[in-house]
Amino acid sequence: ANADYTLKVRCRAAQTRTVFVVGTINAPPWTGVGLAKKFSVGPEWKDESISFKGEGDFPNARVKFDLGAEAVPFEIERVV
């Protein structure tokens, strides 16, 4: 609750595209837990490090990678 966190992800895409990563509780109304960031990724593997402050105490939260309507393949190798 209200702690500092860092999400690390290694990813790439077939061509440059935008990825939006968000953290929410895992049930309606999908309330945000403090994680919300947009970043760009391209064909080379990229290590993205996202620091955020948790909002609230949610034992059942999730991380969502929103790729929008872009039909560009996106690959995740690792999430920590």
Side-chain angles (χ1 to χ4, degrees):
N2 300 318
D4 294 323
Y5 297 95
T6 301
L7 176 75
K8 295 180 182 180
V9 60
R10 182 171 174 82
C11 56
R12 66 181 177 183
Q15 64 190 50
T16 302
R17 65 164 304 138
T18 299
V19 176
F20 185 60
V21 62
V22 63
T24 67
I25 60 172
N26 196 26
W30 317 109
T31 304
V33 297
L35 169 61
K37 181 169 181 192
K38 229 181 242 191
F39 64 92
S40 293
V41 63
E44 300 297 318
W45 284 107
K46 180 178 184 180
D47 293 306
E48 187 73 24
S49 182
I50 304 163
S51 296
F52 66 99
K53 182 172 283 298
E55 297 174 358
D57 186 14
F58 303 106
N60 192 14
R62 67 182 186 162
V63 174
K64 174 184 168 189
F65 291 89
D66 188 342
L67 306 177
E70 294 180 60
V72 175
F74 174 72
E75 184 178 3
I76 297 174
E77 181 181 73
R78 177 178 57 246
V79 177
V80 179

